[in-house]
Amino acid sequence: QVMLRESGGGAVQAGGSLRLACEDVQYTKKRTCMGWFRQAPGKTREEVAGLDSDGITTYADSVKGRFTISKDSAKNTLYLQMNNLKPEDTAVYYCAASTLDICNSGSWTMRAYYNFWGQGTQVTVSS
């Protein structure tokens, strides 16, 4: 069983930074992918950043150069460092993990390929 616990959300002004953390509290099976997604009010959930089991990272165009995804394997924790935040980054951010072989750096954006999701953490960026 995989349980994901997110933290680190909050409210910041444009140009500020936040770091989100996602702790896998009951890691029992290798994750093929881990990713961050976000959902703004009235919009569908969209991909933000992904990390596959080979350590390959991928990003949505909207966050390239500003966000960094990383993992501390010793702590079973995934991070999302968010710099130069913009009001359009305001959303609930979700951590996701996959134990399915179909998930990799080429398919990480597919929400259906993730079988575990966190509860979400709110990020609010004011102008």
Side-chain angles (χ1 to χ4, degrees), residues 13-16 62 66-67 83-90 125-126:
Q13 291 189 327
S62 60
R66 300 187 298 123
F67 291 11
N83 297 329
N84 191 20
L85 282 160
K86 303 176 180 180
E88 51 263 42
D89 294 319
T90 295
V125 185
S126 59

Side-chain angles (χ1 to χ4, degrees), residues 38-78:
R38 66 187 181 187
Q39 187 166 15
K43 295 187 177 181
T44 58
R45 193 170 299 187
E46 64 177 7
E47 65 277 7
V48 175
L51 175 67
D52 74 2
S53 58
D54 292 326
I56 297 173
T57 58
T58 47
Y59 299 91
D61 288 342
S62 60
V63 306
K64 281 181 181 177
R66 300 187 298 123
F67 291 11
T68 302
I69 187 172
S70 62
K71 186 174 76 170
D72 184 333
S73 297
K75 296 181 179 179
N76 287 333
T77 301
L78 183 75

Side-chain angles (χ1 to χ4, degrees), residues 5 8 10-11 18 20 22 31 39 42 49 52 69 72 76-79 81 93-94 110 114 116:
R5 182 184 297 158
L18 284 173
L20 306 182
C22 172
R31 280 77 50 83
Q39 187 166 15
D52 74 2
I69 187 172
D72 184 333
N76 287 333
T77 301
L78 183 75
Y79 299 99
Q81 178 66 45
Y93 283 70
Y94 297 90
M110 301 298 291
Y114 292 84
F116 298 98

Side-chain angles (χ1 to χ4, degrees), residues 1-2 24 26-34 96-103 113-116:
Q1 189 72 13
V2 174
D24 180 355
Q26 289 190 4
Y27 174 78
T28 57
K29 189 174 181 181
K30 175 185 177 182
R31 280 77 50 83
T32 52
C33 287
M34 292 199 76
S98 177
T99 59
L100 305 177
D101 291 338
I102 196 172
C103 196
Y113 293 173
Y114 292 84
N115 45 347
F116 298 98

